[in-house]
Amino acid sequence: MKREVRVVVGGAGVAGLTTAVALAEAGALVHVIAEQVPGVTSLAAGAMWGPYLVEPKDKVDQWGQRSLEIFRRLAEDPSTGVRLTSGIEASRAAEAPPEGATTLPGFRLCEPAELPAGFSAGYRFTVPLIDMPTYLAYLLRRLDAPSGTGERRRLASLADAGPAALIVNCPGLGAQELVPDHDFWPIRGQHVAVTKGLTEFFSEDTGLSQDLLCFYLHGDTVVLGGTAIGGEGSLAPDEKAAAGIFARCVEAEPRLAKARVLEHRLGARPTRAMVRVEAERAEDGTVVVHNYGHGGGWSSYGATTMFSPAIPAFFWISVSMRRWTLRVASSSSRLARMTLAFSSVKGRPLSWEKVPVSG
């Protein structure tokens, strides 16, 4: 693809930045427009690989497996914020292992002595944990390498994106007003970041409860979770919820009682009955690819569907744009080569100011 093909990506959460990086490295002249850089919900994620609050299941399973492969490769580079960690997922009811868990490295049933009081079943395995602030900074460095540009402002409408051959719409909850899309709701999530004192993660299978229990290790920090409150999008800290999170985690792991609280992290998971990854033409003929509604698949569990929604999105781009051919589209192997070729990129940071755009 030639650099004169200007693509605008709306949104700078993990969905928007991943899409922008993939297109920029494929040769597009990518311009990102976002009010928040990076997106606050993505920054607030825990985050452990695994699907959560996201449908359709068949596609999510495929996307999850692809992202698992990619995250394993990224874990080879500490600067990405991704690492492979062993830990336990447990349940208070004797249930079968989570679907797909038995194929993960190191999978085995836990002995009763390994489980906290009150838990009747548990499973140990190794999965990617993603330190989201570090990871999002890494994506921004990658976007900068092929000369991506950006503006820190709110998109009033898709037409407000300026002249572009293509617009990729990754607005998170902003889709409610921007598209508009009303088949959409927030699920408020809160985490508490504390000082380190553990060596492995723990997560409870809480089903659809709004009170979650998990702790994830990232360097000198442990992220405690969490909440999943449907219909609430406020990002104001809730001290009562934070106290509940801390108490649940200390009950499961008493060593956390002496941990010092560093910060509260809040986000609103952009949830939809079905993920929207599809293309349409605007009235002026511009191709618009929608890529949003990933719920906890993007945020709560660390961007599980992170790269893989780009596969159908790139396919739509390739068949919709008749003047250019984006040959990253229909080949998952090409996408894999492109996304797996991650390396630490050192260079000037993106200047997130309003910049001139050309047609």
Side-chain angles (χ1 to χ4, degrees), residues 97-98 101-109 123-126:
T102 57
T103 63
L104 293 172
F107 176 86
R108 66 172 177 81
L109 300 180
Y123 320 95
R124 181 178 291 279
F125 45 76
T126 299

Side-chain angles (χ1 to χ4, degrees), residues 13-38:
V14 69
L17 291 179
T18 300
T19 301
V21 167
L23 286 170
E25 292 183 353
L29 182 63
V30 175
H31 186 68
V32 178
I33 302 176
E35 186 174 14
Q36 301 167 337
V37 184

